Amino acid sequence: MPVAVEQQTDTLKKRITLHEGQSAVFQSEARFVALIAGTGGGKTYIGPYWLAREIAKNPTGIYGVGAPTFKMLDRITARELITAFRGTSLEGEYRSTKGEYLLPTGGIIYLCSTTDPDHIEGGQYDAWWLDEAGQMSAWTWTVVQARLGFKQGRCLFTSTPYSLNWFYREIYRRAKALDPDYF
């Protein structure tokens, strides 16, 4: 049974309780961080709070959030982000038809389906959160890396382990090999 750890995000001014695995991901300074767990492992829950820490570094920045399909994005990922930011200094305006979450700090979060990764091309991002990354294509990861490259932005992957695909080879195995950029 994981030990509950309390974290407070400076940007959100909200107390959250994380289990041991979530806390390790939240505290990691690696550039590419993954929380890989089964159903109910708290993967999507941690995403908005991790992103809030990135937003605190550049409140007027550009951020991305991706999910494998529009349905998952709308039903799960966007809802979790909106709920986490509600009543905090990051409560903004969500424009679902444009896939934009306008932050009161002047920053913006683009919420995207990764069904067609070419649609997330363009722009330089400060950070990305890819929810259920194991369901995404390898091309999605190539495009996101390009979007993060100029600013050396960070990426959080939250996912159930689906198969021995790109996510396993390029993220999980690098973290297990103790590559300092991966956790």
Side-chain angles (χ1 to χ4, degrees):
M1 184 74 171
V3 177
V5 177
E6 285 199 3
Q7 299 288 336
Q8 182 166 341
T9 61
D10 294 334
T11 307
L12 290 181
K13 304 289 187 214
K14 185 183 232 182
R15 233 182 225 302
I16 58 175
T17 301
L18 305 176
H19 62 63
E20 188 177 350
Q22 291 170 316
S23 185
V25 163
F26 192 75
Q27 294 175 15
S28 173
E29 293 300 324
R31 186 161 174 228
F32 306 117
V33 182
L35 178 55
I36 305 168
T39 302
K43 301 174 301 292
T44 304
Y45 175 81
I46 193 73
Y49 300 105
W50 182 90
L51 194 59
R53 289 190 60 201
E54 296 304 303
I55 293 167
K57 297 174 188 174
N58 183 7
T60 60
I62 300 172
Y63 302 90
V65 172
T69 65
F70 283 110
K71 189 173 186 174
M72 289 176 75
L73 180 72
D74 188 52
R75 188 172 50 90
I76 304 163
T77 313
R79 184 180 50 142
E80 194 72 34
L81 181 111
I82 293 163
T83 300
F85 287 6
R86 186 175 295 130
T88 73
S89 61
L90 292 181
E91 184 172 0
E93 178 186 350
Y94 179 47
R95 297 178 178 176
S96 62
T97 57
K98 290 187 174 191
E100 300 174 342
Y101 187 93
L102 304 177
L103 294 162
T105 59
I108 187 166
I109 302 170
Y110 290 105
L111 292 99
C112 311
S113 162
T114 61
T115 302
D116 184 350
D118 290 332
H119 291 164
I120 58 176
E121 285 281 13
Q124 300 301 320
Y125 289 71
D126 293 277
W128 266 87
W129 164 33
L130 297 175
D131 193 27
E132 291 303 344
Q135 291 186 22
M136 297 175 189
S137 70
W139 185 244
T140 298
W141 176 224
T142 300
V143 171
V144 168
Q145 285 179 89
R147 301 301 97 226
L148 292 170
F150 182 74
K151 294 183 177 183
Q152 290 295 288
R154 296 180 73 210
C155 187
L156 172 67
F157 305 89
T158 53
S159 189
T160 299
Y162 291 99
S163 65
L164 302 180
N165 62 5
W166 71 271
F167 185 60
Y168 171 79
R169 290 186 309 276
E170 296 185 34
I171 308 304
Y172 176 79
R173 285 181 50 187
R174 285 185 177 182
K176 288 304 259 185
L178 303 179
D179 182 323
D181 282 337
Y182 292 80
F183 178 85

